Amino acid sequence: MQKETIKIAVVSDVACPWCYVGKRRLETALKQWKGAPIEVTWHPFQLDPSIPEAGLDRDTYLINKFGDLESTKAMTDRLKEAGVDEGITFNFGNEWLAVNTLPLHQLLHVAGEEGFKDILKERFLKAYFDENLHLNNIEVLVNIMAEYNWDAEKTKHVIANDRIALTVQKEIAHYQQRGVSGVPFFIINDKYGISGAQPASVFLEAFAQVAPIEAIGSKGASCDPVTGVC
């Protein structure tokens, strides 16, 4: 008898380092899972929709969020350590730029319609946190999307499309209304949730038990949209 598919909706933002870690940990769990088939879908969230189109350089962004640079060292050290375990290089160098991620979610939305949202999500995360590419630069985005056979005109059209932007914003609002306030957040079978970048073992336990949200990872590492703490 065919086992019923487990459906996981992942709510995350490109600008969230713990979303990167959580993505890798989920993927590890999926590789280890021997039970029912699992279908994963990716959904948008913006930790800071107020970031201007020009972006914010590393020091300005961190000072705005935390008051000073020294207080961020423990956070970035923890992220780098977690990244090593998951095969991620977190690079918070001088070239790192905080950007408004709405255009990225617009590109991801259309990529989802074309069947490669997961791949593009990984590409954007690597570009943002490892390569320090400036993802508010249209030419940078054109070059990235060219890797997936998009021409410049198509990329620019998607970014400039207000209808796509509104669709993304409505989806973000939907998950906020459902109570998602920090990311990553994983919703299982549209009923149960895992909060934060939990270890693979927590995902495996959830797959096996489909446990209630209260019983799973209430203290997982995540990025808070109010305080900016990651």
Side-chain angles (χ1 to χ4, degrees):
M1 183 176 178
Q2 178 68 34
K3 295 180 180 178
E4 186 174 350
T5 299
I6 297 171
K7 295 185 178 182
I8 304 175
V10 185
V11 185
S12 64
D13 192 7
V14 174
C16 166
W18 286 112
C19 293
Y20 201 177
V21 175
K23 182 177 186 293
R24 289 291 179 84
R25 290 176 176 174
L26 172 62
E27 289 166 349
T28 296
L30 294 174
K31 290 176 184 177
Q32 296 175 359
W33 176 245
K34 305 300 182 184
I38 295 177
E39 176 186 307
V40 179
T41 55
W42 299 89
H43 304 274
F45 198 88
Q46 278 198 282
L47 286 168
D48 191 349
S50 70
I51 292 179
E53 185 177 341
L56 296 171
D57 65 78
R58 181 197 63 183
D59 291 356
T60 300
Y61 178 77
L62 293 176
I63 290 171
N64 286 350
K65 286 291 183 183
F66 305 104
D68 62 82
L69 294 177
E70 186 59 31
S71 62
T72 68
K73 188 177 185 305
M75 177 191 72
T76 55
D77 285 349
R78 183 183 174 207
L79 277 166
K80 288 177 181 177
E81 183 178 342
V84 169
D85 292 338
E86 306 303 331
I88 298 169
T89 301
F90 279 114
N91 176 11
F92 297 101
N94 293 333
E95 292 300 312
W96 187 83
L97 184 75
V99 303
N100 190 306
T101 57
L102 180 59
L104 304 180
H105 288 301
Q106 292 172 227
L107 293 168
L108 286 163
H109 176 79
V110 178
E113 295 177 339
E114 298 184 3
F116 68 103
K117 182 183 281 189
D118 180 291
I119 295 171
L120 186 59
K121 182 82 169 187
E122 178 77 20
R123 183 68 185 94
F124 281 158
L125 288 165
K126 180 176 177 60
Y128 194 68
F129 287 111
D130 181 356
E131 299 173 340
N132 286 176
L133 297 180
H134 292 182
L135 296 183
N136 62 340
N137 184 315
I138 188 65
E139 295 307 318
V140 169
L141 294 176
V142 164
N143 289 337
I144 289 177
M145 297 312 298
E147 298 172 17
Y148 308 97
N149 299 316
W150 283 26
D151 59 29
E153 183 179 355
K154 180 175 180 178
T155 298
K156 293 176 181 179
H157 170 74
V158 170
I159 292 172
N161 192 305
D162 291 338
R163 179 185 59 79
I164 297 173
L166 182 59
T167 298
V168 169
Q169 290 168 327
K170 285 181 176 179
E171 190 173 4
I172 292 171
H174 167 75
Y175 285 105
Q176 289 174 325
Q177 289 164 5
R178 292 193 63 180
V180 176
S181 60
V183 289
F185 197 88
F186 306 83
I187 302 171
I188 303 175
N189 287 343
D190 204 37
K191 291 175 64 178
Y192 310 112
I194 296 176
S195 175
Q198 298 294 331
S201 60
V202 172
F203 288 110
L204 290 168
E205 180 183 351
F207 300 161
Q209 299 183 11
V210 195
I213 180 173
E214 292 80 9
I216 302 176
S218 60
K219 296 182 180 179
S222 61
C223 295
D224 188 293
V226 178
T227 66
V229 175
C230 291

